Amino acid sequence: MTTTHAPDEGFTPIRAKAAPRPGTWISAVIVAALALGLIWFLVTNPVLEWGTVTTYLLDVKVVQGVGWTLLLTVLSMILGTVVALTAAIMRRSENPVLRGVSWAYIFVFRGIPVYTQLVFWGLFTVIVPKIVIGVPFGPELLSFSTRDLLTAFWAAVIGLGLNEGAYLAEIIRSGLNSVDRGQTEASKALGMSNGTILRRIIVPQAMRVIVPPLGNETIGMLKTTSLVLAVPFTLDLTFATNGIANKLFTPIPLLIVAALWYLAITSVLMVGQHYLERYFGRGFDARTPARAGGGGGRGGRSRQAAVNSAGTTPQDPLPEVEL
Amino acid sequence: MSQNPETPENPVGAASPVVIQVEGVHKTFGDLHVLKGCDLTVRSGEVAVLVGPSGSGKSTLLRCINQLEEPTAGRVLVDGVVQGYRAEPLPDGRWQKLRPVEIAAQRSRIGMVFQRFHLFPHLTALANVMEAPVQVRGLPRAAAEAKARELLERVGLGDRADHYPSELSGGQQQRVAIARALAMDPELMLFDEPTSALDPELVSEVLGVLKDLAADGMTMVVVTHEMGFAREVADRVVFMDEGRILESGTAEQVIDHPRSERLKGFLASVL
Ligand SMILES: Nc1ncnc2c1ncn2[C@@H]1O[C@H](COP(=O)(O)OP(=O)(O)OP(=O)(O)O)[C@@H](O)[C@H]1O
Ligand SMILES: [Mg+2]
């Protein structure tokens, strides 16, 4: 062996050459050629009308549509998460009524297509025109016309949110169950109330398990908002691009406009998810792989700083490495 | 005072008041009869060491004291207060259970340290110690932090305050767990095999903290297999076997002069 002597360390690192893998190389070349062909096709195909795409990409209607779509996504995910957390906690309750109601909610809202649910919420003001608060069989104290309260936008948010809550409830429930029982016992032994234990100890640890699927669900919701026409709510991105396409008789470039925007928003959401995973992964490191289920969330800067400030830690079997 | 301070039941002295009183406690899990009528009195400042073979019910007895388990029969009093129930029975003879917040308040005065630490992994050592004083007692954060730093200093971990549990050795984690329990100013501390999950070279650092606590006059019940610790620190050694307390006395009486064959056999296996 050739030796590049490293006098300080007193050893010579192995100079390794990778084992030949012709199969991998051949398939990589084929895949790259196919990808190039596809890009060439997309760029040169006149039907795609890239000129129209660039004209309408920042059209006022389209940008407003992006805004409404984002608002629908965020609000319905918030509603869905709150409902799901409630349902998941009710599912863990000792009271059979609470457990039963939670089960029924998940059964109904997961079992009916979103589209059907959205149409239903659109018709809600017809089914329930007035909400009255008062003494049963006695005087009315307050009465609302639902038509004034439940605009198409809020009907869409409620429809999307309640449907989403049914899926998130199962995700949150398995997240809560993933936290070791010893955590609850230690908290109880300190005199914490059940609410405090849930809020301060269980939920923050469950989030590590919940955030990756929650990210998927948010991206799914972004795309599901394109169904709000069923309510009908007519300001979102898909409706805006469809409207322009119908006016111009050019559907294809406006589909591309919509697709590009959905991809752009998805990228932003993925960045957000990355930071959330890192935040909730703090304190869980690579040394405990059994507990670190998904998402390589590491403690990040503060953890590294903590290790550095401690100086050498002979008890640590693995040296800390900045990744 | 008429009591004799030399009786083995009362090695600390008659003056110190009773802190824990376990009266005829039974515990069943389905068909399994785990505790078969246990009586135990621990006085203020006393260190009681609980020994016995695996499965004899030591953990279950400890967990009955801070209501992590509900006794099937019998009762537990701490400072003369019945745990988990109203002091007086209802007119029909049943006992009225306390509400969860009341049980939590009773528990908050009893510190517990577990074999497997159960630190909160998402919080730093400092935040672990601060959590209960802030959330349960409503202590302002600044005061809680000052107190937590003092406690970490006391268990020899002043320089590890900002580490997460996953960055600490087993012995360090267990010392943080002790500091976390002490932060609630408990009147008594329960230890369930605090050193059993530790590598042998880390055991002494945790036992050292326990010895300091005992010297400071903390009332303690310690389940352990460390006979050396029992000999050195215990005011009383209690031997449990198959859900019963078979022998109880000073370390000298129980460890050096066992009476029952069961205890002789047990000691032969651990010494
Ligand atoms: N929650 C439970 N459900 C059913 N059985 C239980 C439960 N907790 C404890 N047991 C049983 O009760 C018996 C006594 O358990 P316990 O943990 O009190 O023993 P121990 O003396 O602490 O033993 P060790 O030294 O192994 O910790 C065991 O047979 C155990 O299997
Ligand atoms: Mg045990």
Side-chain angles (χ1 to χ4, degrees):
Chain A
M1 262 198 232
T2 47
T3 56
T4 42
H5 192 56
D8 301 350
E9 277 114 41
F11 63 87
T12 314
I14 295 171
R15 294 171 62 236
K17 182 177 182 299
R21 309 170 88 177
T24 313
W25 279 103
I26 292 168
S27 27
V29 168
I30 294 173
V31 170
L34 287 174
L36 272 179
L38 181 65
I39 291 170
W40 185 248
F41 167 80
L42 286 176
V43 171
T44 58
N45 193 328
V47 181
L48 303 184
E49 294 183 42
W50 287 100
T52 317
V53 171
T54 47
T55 312
Y56 283 97
L57 197 59
L58 295 175
D59 183 88
V60 178
K61 275 258 164 57
V62 171
V63 173
Q64 281 175 346
V66 169
W68 283 108
T69 291
L70 269 177
L71 200 61
L72 279 173
T73 307
V74 170
L75 289 180
S76 52
M77 281 310 286
I78 291 174
L79 175 65
T81 309
V82 169
V83 171
L85 191 60
T86 314
I89 292 169
M90 281 165 67
R91 217 35 211 286
R92 287 157 63 93
S93 163
E94 283 162 23
N95 185 319
V97 175
L98 295 182
R99 277 205 313 270
V101 168
S102 167
W103 182 88
Y105 159 71
I106 293 171
F107 176 74
V108 168
F109 283 82
R110 203 169 55 169
I112 299 175
V114 199
Y115 191 87
T116 315
Q117 290 184 44
L118 286 171
V119 174
F120 169 84
W121 286 105
L123 293 172
F124 188 79
T125 56
V126 179
I127 303 167
V128 184
K130 216 166 85 169
I131 292 176
V132 175
I133 297 174
V135 184
F137 312 111
E140 286 181 16
L141 299 178
L142 271 173
S143 94
F144 310 95
S145 157
T146 52
R147 199 175 296 277
D148 300 337
L149 288 175
L150 197 69
T151 60
F153 175 74
W154 288 109
V157 168
I158 292 173
L160 292 171
L162 289 185
N163 174 69
E164 186 59 36
Y167 287 93
L168 288 180
E170 291 295 294
I171 291 172
I172 292 179
R173 190 165 72 100
S174 60
L176 296 178
N177 288 344
S178 75
V179 178
D180 183 38
R181 262 195 50 203
Q183 293 290 306
T184 307
E185 296 212 325
S187 316
K188 278 185 177 175
L190 287 164
M192 293 190 201
S193 68
N194 288 336
T196 307
I197 296 174
L198 203 60
R199 187 170 53 84
R200 297 285 309 175
I201 307 299
I202 307 294
V203 169
Q205 292 182 55
M207 286 305 279
R208 209 172 43 86
V209 178
I210 292 171
V211 166
L214 190 69
N216 274 343
E217 289 292 317
T218 309
I219 290 168
M221 175 61 83
L222 172 69
K223 295 176 293 180
T224 311
T225 56
S226 61
L227 296 179
V228 290
L229 172 64
V231 172
F233 178 76
T234 55
L235 292 170
D236 76 299
L237 177 57
T238 293
F239 196 90
T241 53
N242 276 350
I244 297 168
N246 291 343
K247 218 161 47 192
L248 302 176
F249 301 110
T250 54
I252 295 169
L254 281 135
L255 282 178
I256 294 175
V257 169
L260 289 176
W261 272 112
Y262 281 117
L263 281 175
I265 301 172
T266 301
S267 323
V268 173
L269 291 177
M270 283 165 67
V271 172
Q273 179 178 350
H274 169 79
Y275 281 101
L276 274 181
E277 283 182 17
R278 211 171 78 168
Y279 176 76
F280 286 110
R282 71 199 191 282
F284 294 86
D285 72 351
R287 231 179 296 159
T288 50
R291 289 146 82 204
R298 289 177 50 95
R301 271 189 311 118
S302 60
R303 265 193 65 232
Q304 189 61 45
V307 174
N308 291 346
S309 73
T312 48
T313 48
Q315 298 92 338
D316 285 358
L318 298 176
E320 288 293 333
V321 179
E322 184 94 75
L323 289 183
Chain B
M1 294 264 166
S2 60
Q3 282 134 313
N4 174 6
E6 295 305 315
T7 55
E9 277 302 314
N10 186 13
V12 169
S16 57
V18 172
V19 176
I20 306 173
Q21 192 148 3
V22 176
E23 295 177 349
V25 164
H26 287 255
K27 178 66 188 175
T28 57
F29 293 107
D31 291 339
L32 193 64
H33 201 164
V34 175
L35 296 182
K36 299 169 182 165
C38 291
D39 296 287
L40 179 71
T41 305
V42 181
R43 288 173 179 277
S44 179
E46 203 179 359
V47 178
V49 168
L50 210 53
V51 299
S54 181
S56 56
K58 305 181 298 291
S59 299
T60 307
L61 180 60
L62 217 56
R63 292 161 59 83
C64 282
I65 294 175
N66 76 344
Q67 305 183 59
L68 289 178
E69 303 287 358
E70 265 177 46
T72 316
R75 53 181 202 163
V76 176
L77 291 89
V78 172
D79 283 339
V81 178
V82 183
Q83 300 293 288
Y85 298 90
R86 294 249 168 282
E88 299 299 326
L90 295 169
D92 64 1
R94 291 186 301 166
W95 291 85
Q96 174 66 55
K97 278 190 187 179
L98 295 182
R99 290 179 294 126
V101 279
E102 296 170 310
I103 293 177
Q106 289 187 335
R107 280 196 189 113
S108 70
R109 301 163 58 201
I110 305 173
M112 178 139 185
V113 174
F114 300 84
Q115 184 174 353
R116 296 190 48 242
F117 329 138
H118 298 320
L119 288 180
F120 306 133
H122 61 302
L123 301 177
T124 61
L126 183 71
N128 263 278
V129 181
M130 287 169 62
E131 186 67 13
V134 172
Q135 297 298 329
V136 179
R137 295 252 195 272
L139 208 64
R141 293 199 72 83
E145 180 175 338
K147 183 173 181 181
R149 288 195 185 281
E150 197 184 300
L151 284 166
L152 286 173
E153 204 69 57
R154 185 165 155 197
V155 298
L157 290 172
D159 58 340
R160 293 291 194 276
D162 297 324
H163 287 236
Y164 284 96
S166 61
E167 299 160 348
L168 299 173
S169 72
Q172 292 171 335
Q173 289 187 53
Q174 191 61 298
R175 286 186 280 154
V176 174
I178 294 171
R180 180 176 70 174
L182 289 174
M184 291 297 281
D185 298 320
E187 284 166 56
L188 65 138
M189 292 276 289
L190 308 174
F191 295 86
D192 192 357
E193 305 201 27
T195 59
S196 297
L198 300 179
D199 293 336
E201 73 270 24
L202 303 179
V203 167
S204 63
E205 67 186 46
V206 171
L207 290 185
V209 172
L210 263 66
K211 283 175 199 166
D212 291 346
L213 271 178
D216 288 348
M218 176 62 79
T219 311
M220 295 160 54
V221 182
V222 187
V223 175
T224 186
H225 293 297
E226 300 289 333
M227 290 300 155
F229 173 80
R231 230 187 268 276
E232 193 177 336
V233 181
D235 297 302
R236 185 136 55 94
V237 178
V238 177
F239 174 62
M240 275 189 83
D241 190 45
E242 294 185 343
R244 291 198 178 82
I245 292 175
L246 287 194
E247 292 192 32
S248 167
T250 62
E252 214 245 324
Q253 290 169 324
V254 173
I255 300 175
D256 299 328
H257 302 95
R259 283 172 286 159
S260 62
E261 290 306 313
R262 305 286 309 194
L263 178 50
K264 283 176 190 159
F266 170 74
L267 289 171
S269 71
V270 293
L271 286 178

